[in-house]
């Protein structure tokens, strides 16, 4: 077999997204994850629902959506404050399901900041369809290295 | 190299736990997961924090704890009502971290039931240390095959 079939079967990554090169730990295990970061403070993270993300019904597992919410919402703190952070509380509301092969996107915005804690409100969607809404409380940790 | 080293390096699974033989999807991807189900309605689920569960600090990733919460808390509905279920809402409070190599356990109980929806209260711990507390709302779906 030549590589032609494999090349044609490659994921068509939507414009502006780059793959997050996580090579270890949980980020690698549940990847691939993608990020779009135009530099104006807005951002989205995304992943294609693969077989290894599915539940018994062949849809994206709720646990995967929650793990993605943590990563997608928390990034608001990284961009806003340039700090490392830990999750203190996360509330996720499941609005709709995501099917295998769908491109799931998410983002969040800072809604409050006090004593080093950050309130965040986020949303996860596929196309026009909201998959999950949520709020989170993150605790800011040490400063991150400056981004290039 | 003989297999002796590998045999000695096997995980010592605490008494009463059996491995959940998930062979596909997200359950397999984030496994291994274990379950203790004495048959009296109580249960615990568990996992050992492995390299593929870790965050950048080498502790268990918050996303993994949330995914585990979904699986550990939702099982209360399976046992209580013998029904399939989907997650509607999950709230997780991060109390403490779990280190690589630690044995993380979780369980939940039904606190309310109305119109096919189940309220659940759960806890996740390592030894005497609470890692996470949470509440969830699950929607009951079709009946499950009877358990043996």
């Amino acid at each position: 077999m030549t590589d032609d079939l494999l090349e044609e079967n490659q994921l068509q990554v939507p414009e502006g997204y780059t793959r997050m090169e996580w090579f270890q730990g949980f980020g690698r295990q549940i990847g691939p994850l993608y990020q779009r970061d135009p530099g104006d403070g807005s951002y989205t993270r995304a992943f294609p629902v693969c077989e290894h993300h599915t539940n018994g019904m062949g849809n994206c597992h709720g646990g995967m959506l929650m793990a993605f919410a943590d990563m997608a919402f928390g990034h608001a703190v990284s961009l806003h404050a340039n700090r490392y952070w830990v999750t203190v509380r996360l509330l996720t509301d499941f609005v709709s399901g995501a099917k295998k092969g769908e491109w799931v996107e998410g983002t969040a915005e800072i809604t409050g900041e006090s004593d080093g804690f950050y309130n965040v409100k986020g949303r996860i969607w596929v196309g026009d369809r909201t998959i999950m809404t949520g709020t989170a409380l993150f605790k800011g940790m040490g400063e991150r290295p400056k981004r290039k």
Side-chain angles (χ1 to χ4, degrees), chain A:
Chain A
M1 195 175 80
T2 68
D3 274 347
D4 293 351
L5 182 61
L6 295 174
E7 285 183 10
E8 287 169 7
N9 281 349
Q10 282 191 111
L11 179 73
Q12 297 300 311
V13 178
E15 200 178 329
Y17 275 103
T18 53
R19 183 163 176 167
M20 307 189 67
E21 297 294 347
W22 282 336
F23 59 92
Q24 60 183 11
F26 195 62
R28 170 177 170 276
Q29 188 71 8
I30 68 168
L33 294 175
Y34 296 81
Q35 182 166 305
R36 188 159 59 181
D37 206 339
D40 60 0
S42 74
Y43 72 93
T44 49
R45 286 186 163 179
F47 71 98
V49 181
C50 305
E51 193 282 331
H52 66 269
H53 298 135
T54 55
N55 61 19
M57 292 174 280
N59 297 321
C60 188
H61 195 288
M64 175 59 197
L65 290 174
M66 283 187 284
F68 176 66
D70 185 52
M71 295 171 181
F73 297 177
H75 190 55
V77 177
S78 305
L79 286 184
H80 174 79
N82 208 50
R83 292 173 72 172
Y84 293 103
W85 46 267
V86 294
T87 313
V88 176
R89 167 173 263 205
L90 188 74
L91 172 67
T92 49
D93 282 298
F94 293 71
V95 179
S96 176
K99 293 187 181 64
K100 192 176 151 192
E102 289 189 319
W103 181 254
V104 177
E105 299 174 273
T107 191
E109 57 185 278
I110 306 279
T111 56
E113 181 180 346
S114 162
D115 292 333
F117 287 82
Y118 299 88
N119 289 96
V120 164
K121 180 178 77 171
R123 191 171 81 89
I124 293 172
W125 66 89
V126 171
D128 293 337
R129 199 167 83 250
T130 296
I131 300 297
M132 177 180 272
T133 58
T135 57
L137 181 64
F138 296 104
K139 182 182 179 187
M141 308 297 280
E143 200 174 328
R144 298 176 80 106
K146 279 264 184 290
R147 282 146 199 281
K148 289 161 199 156

